[in-house]
Amino acid sequence: MATPQDLRYSKEHEWARVNGDGAVIGITDYAQRSLGDIVYVELPKVGEQIKQFGSIGVVESVKAVSDLFTPLSGEVVEVNGALDGDPAAVNRDPYGDGWMLKLKLSNPDETKSLLSAEEYDKLAAE
Amino acid sequence: MSAPPSERTVSPLIFDQGQRGRANRYVERGKALDAFLPRNLLRDELPLPENTELDVVRHYTRLSQRTFGIDVGFYPLGSCTMKYNPKVNDTLASQHEFADLHPFVPDELAQGALQVMHELERSFCSLFGMAAFSLNPSAGAQAELAALLVAKKYFRDRGETQRDKVIVPDTAHGTNPASAAMCGFTVISLKSDTRGRVDPAEIRKVLGPDTAVCMMTNPNTLGLFEERIHEVTDAVHEAGGLMYYDGANANALMGNTRPGDMGFDLMHLNTHKTFTIPHGGGGAGHGPLGVAAHLIEYLPTPYVVRDGDRYRLDFDRPKSIGPMRSFWSNFAHAVRALAYLYANGAEGLTKASQYAVLNANYLRVKIAEFLETPYPEICRHEFVASAQRLKKETGVRALDIAKALLDRNFMAPTIYFPLIVPEALMIEPTETESKETLDAFVDALREIVETAKRDPQSLMNAPVNTVVGRVDEARAARQPDLRWDPHV
Amino acid sequence: MYAPHTQADIEAMLRCIGVDSIDRLLEVPQALRLQEPLEVVSALPEYRLRRRIEQMAKRNSGADFVSFLGGGAYRHYAPPAISALAMRGEFLTAYTPYQAEVSQGYLQAIYEWQTYICLLTGMDLADASVYDGATALAESAIMAIGATGRRKFLVSRAVNPNYRAVLRTYCNGLDVTVDEITLTADGTTDLEALARAVASQEYAGVAMQSPNFFGNVDALDAAAQVTLSASGTVPVAVIAEAISLAALATPASWGAQIVAGEAQSFGVPVAYGGPHVGFIATTNAHMRRIPGRLVGKTRDSAGRTAYVLTLQAREQHIRRERATSNICTNQAHCALIATIYLALLGETGLRDVAALNLERSRELATAVSNAGIKLRFSAPFFNEIVVEVGRRGRDVLAALQERGILGGIDLGRWYPEYENCILMAATELTTTAEIGKLAGALQEVGRVGAAV
């Protein structure tokens, strides 16, 4: 799966789709493939304030558990409730149906510290 | 485990069998419950199935036939010490005077039971170089927890509450960090060196006034002996910390060398590994906790004390961490372990671990002919092979090898552990397997590796001779179905 | 020693390895060599080791006394079919069923166990077992702490004192405070005190046992359920006598979100304290916090029904220091015994056992009353009663012991206010003759006591 050009990436394999002072967050195709069959996603609550690179949840696959870090700071305005019944969406469509949460950014400048698609691909290839 | 096709049908649940009115008559008919209690305190319905004894016997006999145990075949499960479980032990443990002895019976009417516990404890102390053992913890993981509670209380009594770090090598069992977290300790994971050992220089870097406990096993989970263990224990002691020995691998050194002499302050035993207690499909276990002299008073209660020729349970131990379980010990297992000690004596136990090491090295050398062994040196009771090269060449993974072994009537080794070896196959043969069995296992494994090069797909579909094929674990976890439901 | 090698085998294997002796394989630094002979019991051939341990067993005369002991371990009838099945080597010598394809039988049996526990407690799901009732309570407290983020836990003084002690051991590790709720004069939990305590909204959970340690039915009433719900405190029900589940209203019906139980009564021998078998049952909302193994139903590659260990990402071998519990080994074999027990008895059989426990304990209550001994409480009870003997309970018990009777448990051991009280249990195995013998002995002991 090609890494979408319009997103920004963290070294921890999360992506952010930034739109003004809002952003959608998820994990990358590389991350979902490394984890294998994802069976459960534990997300923060709506209204929670989260800090860039802080641990905000957990992604469970059949035999692994991985912390979920936020690439950006802000207030959680929505979480993807559909993942409760269909965690496989993260495997199927990591950049679409498999999105995890929406943020109202507290510091949109942080976006600059994230990687471009090209930079991220380089990292993932290592 | 191969079964003819006709047998390979689904086995119905007990809940989908039987008819109301087929109850067995084990006791007299009771009166209606509302003769004794007001209706509002009683339950409405009790929807349990009713089957004749014959049908129940057939049902569970059938389930047993769909289960693989040591009594069925070779069980080379690394880290689990699946040795033969002598039948005399079960006979002794289930005799009436043990099985029907109530835990609240006064000490003077339970002298035999207390003697069993005391003789077992004394023998363990000598075998492992500890000052005392508590037989209270229910299993290894609970003994680890108890040990860390002992450490926490010990440091608190000494006014050293800043000691909140537990050091755990990256080869450690998963229970180590989990137990540490249950005592509020923070875990520092220590990287092994290129020889698969703990490097004393590395451990010195993380030691400090906040060091509480360092948890190790020796030999480690790679089956390698930590010959510089004294440097590690000395460094930890100098920093004011305690050394904990995870006894999961005690079968490798029993009767040959002692954790106490290595400088460990605390240790546990998994008597269900080392001392032939049957694993029973995952328990009950038994996890005696041993300590050096300065920690005796912190052991869980009760502790078995001998006064002259009388034995008693001592509950009056003010510094104790308290009890870990409802009653004194998994006592029936203490009987089994003592019977095993009597069958062996010191000499037999020494020989048992020697033969366990002999068997592991024999397998290691034979298997190295066709699979990578990342640490090609003399091992102890177990060793780790890797399917990494095979996976690169053929796509066949450790998991596929494991499943292919099931098709050939062998239990699979432990796979993907320890975490530091990719595509790990952790193999522990134990001393009770004969050369013929080991040779047959090598032949099966060799044939699987050859098949991988010729027809890898056939292994990725394995197992095919078992009652079910490869199980969909993702489905199980995504749509948890954890019980039968009368309304579905 | 159970090792099979001949000298020729050993030599062949050493040649293959490329060393000349076994000692070479076990070399350790000088300082680690054994410095002194080991003091282990001496080796005996099987017939003699058997005789030796059988002789020890005979020194347990307590197994043959007329007994009214309960308090968390109960003697019930166990049909021989249980051990005939459970002791089959395939079950007994299996490891935890990680390789599902060759463990379908055991996995299915555990799925049946989980179902039985759900049907009996009224809860949504149950785990594959934990060590025992006390650890079930401690682990339930950890669940409640995790669910609420609160650092205090509340427990009724009517909960089995051994369970409370273990709860404290675990909570000390976690630096969680445990507070206790006082008792009413009638030997039940003071629900008004409970309501006052939880109003602070500081407690993660509250544990109640029913029937409680005194044998009394001790469930939450409707008002207490409302109070707990409002305070966000998780109600934990403790079950120490599992036979009661066949008779009493389910813990789910009185508001429990977690049930911490002991299933020893289902065919598992008392065995001087273990192994017994604990369980935790809970609601779907707490599914991800339940400790221990879980067996789930799924399909195999050909679409056939299959069972497998599931939701393993909760467990220590994957989650390590972030695991909900460190439990690894459970009590699978005891859970198997309990499952077979329940299958053999069925609805009618289990209800009969419960009814007989109710009947015999009432017969016991009547007999001791007629012997002039006062019942301490008047609350509805299951199969245990507390009697007041007018002087120290332990002295009366000692006198009964001289007459071949284990009359019960001295409550003064844990409750100073009840030092003149004895806890007595009667099960379906208790006979009218035994009750008569106890009543007679109590009268006699009473007269001796009065004379002194």
Side-chain angles (χ1 to χ4, degrees), chain C residues 60-239:
Chain C
N60 295 326
S61 50
D64 292 312
F65 272 51
V66 170
S67 170
F68 297 88
L69 293 173
Y74 303 90
R75 290 193 309 164
H76 291 292
Y77 181 69
I82 298 174
S83 64
L85 292 165
M87 297 306 277
R88 289 181 63 95
E90 300 92 329
F91 286 138
L92 193 63
T93 66
Y95 194 72
T96 305
Y98 288 126
Q99 297 294 342
E101 299 86 350
V102 290
S103 312
Q104 283 300 298
Y106 220 129
L107 286 162
Q108 181 176 332
I110 297 298
Y111 182 86
E112 292 180 355
W113 149 269
Q114 290 173 184
T115 302
Y116 271 121
I117 296 300
C118 291
L119 294 174
L120 287 164
T121 58
M123 305 304 284
D124 297 333
L125 68 134
D127 69 5
S129 74
V130 291
Y131 304 130
D132 59 16
T135 45
L137 170 58
E139 295 273 4
S140 298
I142 296 173
M143 285 173 71
I145 290 158
T148 58
R150 299 177 183 174
R151 309 290 300 168
K152 287 171 86 173
F153 193 81
L154 200 56
V155 61
S156 163
R157 273 189 87 220
V159 169
N160 186 310
N162 285 357
Y163 290 20
R164 280 184 282 136
V166 173
L167 175 68
R168 280 190 190 282
T169 304
Y170 273 66
C171 285
N172 282 342
L174 293 161
D175 297 315
V176 166
T177 307
V178 178
D179 290 327
E180 297 192 337
I181 318 166
T182 48
L183 302 172
T184 64
D186 212 14
T188 55
T189 307
D190 184 342
L191 294 177
E192 285 171 20
L194 182 151
R196 282 193 300 276
V198 300
S200 67
Q201 304 202 347
E202 287 178 346
Y203 290 102
V206 56
M208 306 259 300
Q209 178 178 326
S210 181
N212 66 22
F213 187 64
F214 310 117
N216 296 329
V217 178
D218 196 4
L220 291 171
D221 60 17
Q225 288 176 46
V226 171
T227 312
L228 281 180
S229 175
S231 71
T233 308
V234 177
V236 177
V238 177
I239 302 292

Side-chain angles (χ1 to χ4, degrees), chain B residues 6-19:
Chain B
S6 61
E7 288 286 304
R8 290 164 60 188
T9 48
V10 174
S11 176
L13 290 165
I14 193 79
F15 306 100
D16 291 325
Q17 301 176 49
Q19 296 289 340

Side-chain angles (χ1 to χ4, degrees), chain B residues 29 43 50 60 64 96 99 101-102 119 126 179 257 280-282 323 326 342 359 380 403 469-470 481-482, chain C residues 5 27 32 39 44 52 64 73 88 92 94 99 101 106 111-112 120 132 169 245 271-272 300 330 348 352:
Chain B
R29 291 311 311 267
R43 65 181 295 150
E50 298 196 344
Y60 290 103
S64 77
H96 157 70
L101 189 67
H102 193 283
E119 284 195 4
S126 175
S179 303
T257 181
S326 305
Y342 270 114
N359 280 2
R380 294 297 155 126
K403 299 300 182 195
R470 218 172 275 197
D481 173 350
L482 306 174
Chain C
H5 298 325
E27 268 176 9
L32 295 184
E39 287 172 36
L44 298 174
R52 169 138 182 87
D64 292 312
R88 289 181 63 95
L92 193 63
Q99 297 294 342
E101 299 86 350
Y106 220 129
Y111 182 86
E112 292 180 355
L120 287 164
D132 59 16
T169 304
L245 291 167
Y272 201 51
D300 79 346
N330 57 27
T348 309
D352 284 343

Side-chain angles (χ1 to χ4, degrees), chain B residues 317-339:
Chain B
R317 305 176 68 82
K319 288 197 172 181
S320 164
I321 58 166
M324 299 298 294
R325 47 181 281 122
S326 305
F327 292 109
W328 333 141
S329 178
N330 272 346
F331 170 74
H333 285 354
V335 177
R336 289 182 169 95
L338 187 66

Side-chain angles (χ1 to χ4, degrees), chain B residues 11-14 20 24 26 28-31 33 41-43 46 49-50 57 59-61 63-64 66-71 75 77 80 82 85-86 90 95-99 101-102 104 106 108-110 112-113 115 119 123 126 141-142 149 152 156 172 174-175 178-179 181-183 255 257-258 278-284 313 315 321 323-327 329-332 342 344-345 351 355 359 365 380 403 431-433 469-472 475-477 481-484, chain C residues 1-5 10 13 16 25 27 32 34 38-39 41-44 52 54 56-57 59-62 64 70-71 73 85 88-96 99 101-102 104-106 108 111-112 114-115 118-120 123-124 131-132 134-135 162-163 165-166 169-170 173-175 245 247-249 269-275 296-301 304 307-308 310 316 320-321 326 329-333 339 344 346-348 351-352 355-356 401 406 409 413:
Chain B
S11 176
L13 290 165
I14 193 79
R20 193 140 298 191
N24 301 297
Y26 297 115
E28 297 91 336
R29 291 311 311 267
K31 291 182 190 148
L33 298 174
L41 298 182
L42 298 172
R43 65 181 295 150
L46 183 66
E50 298 196 344
V57 167
H59 177 71
Y60 290 103
T61 298
L63 293 191
S64 77
R66 296 158 75 96
T67 302
F68 191 100
I70 300 168
D71 288 3
Y75 221 120
L77 198 63
C80 300
M82 299 299 281
N85 306 146
D90 300 324
Q95 61 189 311
H96 157 70
E97 295 89 346
F98 289 142
L101 189 67
H102 193 283
F104 280 126
E108 60 270 26
L109 304 184
Q115 185 183 359
E119 284 195 4
S123 295
S126 175
Q142 210 194 22
L149 290 168
K152 186 168 174 148
R156 189 169 288 175
T175 51
S179 303
M182 286 177 80
C183 294
T257 181
R258 312 193 304 172
H279 284 72
L313 289 171
F315 291 89
I321 58 166
M324 299 298 294
R325 47 181 281 122
S326 305
F327 292 109
S329 178
N330 272 346
F331 170 74
Y342 270 114
N344 283 280
K351 277 243 145 56
Y355 289 171
N359 280 2
V365 168
R380 294 297 155 126
K403 299 300 182 195
E431 72 277 11
T432 55
E433 298 297 336
R470 218 172 275 197
V471 170
D472 187 346
R475 181 192 163 94
D481 173 350
L482 306 174
R483 57 171 292 191
W484 173 85
Chain C
M1 186 173 34
Y2 310 105
H5 298 325
I10 294 171
M13 291 166 83
C16 173
L25 301 174
E27 268 176 9
L32 295 184
L34 291 183
L38 296 171
E39 287 172 36
V41 295
S42 36
L44 298 174
R52 169 138 182 87
E54 281 167 357
M56 290 187 207
R59 299 183 63 207
N60 295 326
S61 50
D64 292 312
L85 292 165
R88 289 181 63 95
E90 300 92 329
F91 286 138
L92 193 63
T93 66
Y95 194 72
T96 305
Q99 297 294 342
E101 299 86 350
V102 290
Q104 283 300 298
Y106 220 129
Q108 181 176 332
Y111 182 86
E112 292 180 355
Q114 290 173 184
T115 302
C118 291
L119 294 174
L120 287 164
M123 305 304 284
D124 297 333
Y131 304 130
D132 59 16
T135 45
N162 285 357
Y163 290 20
V166 173
T169 304
Y170 273 66
L174 293 161
D175 297 315
L245 291 167
L248 300 181
V270 287
Y272 201 51
K297 188 172 166 183
T298 181
R299 290 181 188 157
D300 79 346
S301 46
R304 291 172 290 206
Y307 301 90
V308 69
T310 193
Q316 48 77 25
R320 298 174 82 87
E321 67 266 27
N326 73 338
T329 302
N330 57 27
Q331 307 291 109
H333 196 253
T339 305
L344 288 167
E347 174 182 339
T348 309
R351 206 185 274 276
D352 284 343
L356 290 167
Q401 197 178 313
L406 292 166
I409 299 168
R413 183 166 171 174

Side-chain angles (χ1 to χ4, degrees), chain B residues 100-406:
Chain B
D100 296 329
L101 189 67
H102 193 283
F104 280 126
V105 159
D107 292 347
E108 60 270 26
L109 304 184
Q111 285 295 301
L114 293 168
Q115 185 183 359
V116 165
M117 292 166 77
H118 188 260
E119 284 195 4
L120 186 64
E121 194 243 350
R122 287 291 102 202
S123 295
F124 282 162
C125 287
S126 175
L127 259 180
F128 297 100
M130 291 282 148
F133 268 89
S134 164
L135 303 183
N136 188 249
S138 312
Q142 210 194 22
E144 278 178 25
L145 176 61
L148 292 168
L149 290 168
V150 165
K152 186 168 174 148
K153 195 135 200 271
Y154 170 76
F155 289 127
R156 189 169 288 175
D157 281 359
R158 292 166 61 94
E160 300 175 40
T161 47
Q162 84 286 358
R163 295 192 181 273
D164 62 352
K165 299 285 187 297
V166 168
I167 302 164
V168 180
D170 56 6
T171 53
H173 297 114
T175 51
N176 292 174
S179 303
M182 286 177 80
C183 294
F185 289 123
T186 309
V187 175
I188 300 177
S189 182
L190 201 68
K191 218 168 135 51
S192 302
D193 67 14
T194 51
R195 292 179 59 244
R197 266 75 162 194
V198 170
D199 182 349
E202 283 300 310
I203 215 160
R204 278 193 206 99
K205 286 185 201 160
V206 297
L207 289 174
D210 60 351
T211 301
V213 182
C214 173
M215 305 177 84
M216 281 180 69
T217 178
N218 193 15
N220 63 27
T221 54
L222 296 164
L224 303 174
F225 193 74
E226 305 269 2
E227 63 279 87
R228 297 174 72 186
I229 186 67
H230 259 147
E231 292 178 58
V232 175
T233 54
D234 285 350
V236 170
H237 287 153
E238 268 165 44
L242 295 172
M243 285 298 302
Y244 178 77
Y245 178 80
D246 175 340
N249 299 341
N251 206 45
L253 50 73
M254 168 177 70
N256 288 280
T257 181
R258 312 193 304 172
D261 296 338
M262 297 175 195
F264 285 96
D265 307 287
L266 299 136
M267 71 171 288
H268 84 260
L269 288 169
N270 302 87
T271 55
H272 49 287
K273 297 179 181 177
T274 321
F275 296 94
T276 66
I277 285 156
H279 284 72
H286 186 224
L289 170 64
V291 291
H294 55 295
L295 298 172
I296 292 180
E297 52 193 351
Y298 295 95
L299 281 176
T301 47
Y303 179 68
V304 180
V305 172
R306 180 179 181 166
D307 298 325
D309 61 351
R310 309 301 291 170
Y311 303 92
R312 64 182 170 84
L313 289 171
D314 184 12
F315 291 89
D316 184 19
R317 305 176 68 82
K319 288 197 172 181
S320 164
I321 58 166
M324 299 298 294
R325 47 181 281 122
S326 305
F327 292 109
W328 333 141
S329 178
N330 272 346
F331 170 74
H333 285 354
V335 177
R336 289 182 169 95
L338 187 66
Y340 179 68
L341 290 187
Y342 270 114
N344 283 280
E347 197 186 335
L349 297 172
T350 305
K351 277 243 145 56
S353 63
Q354 289 176 346
Y355 289 171
V357 172
L358 175 69
N359 280 2
N361 277 287
Y362 179 66
L363 274 190
R364 177 181 58 80
V365 168
K366 298 281 267 188
I367 287 170
E369 291 169 13
F370 52 85
L371 267 182
E372 278 169 287
T373 48
Y375 300 92
E377 57 174 300
I378 287 173
C379 65
R380 294 297 155 126
H381 66 305
E382 67 188 359
F383 66 98
V384 181
S386 166
Q388 193 178 21
R389 194 176 63 207
L390 190 71
K391 183 180 157 193
K392 269 191 196 134
E393 290 167 9
T394 67
V396 168
R397 300 167 298 159
L399 177 71
D400 303 318
I401 296 176
K403 299 300 182 195
L405 279 167
L406 304 182

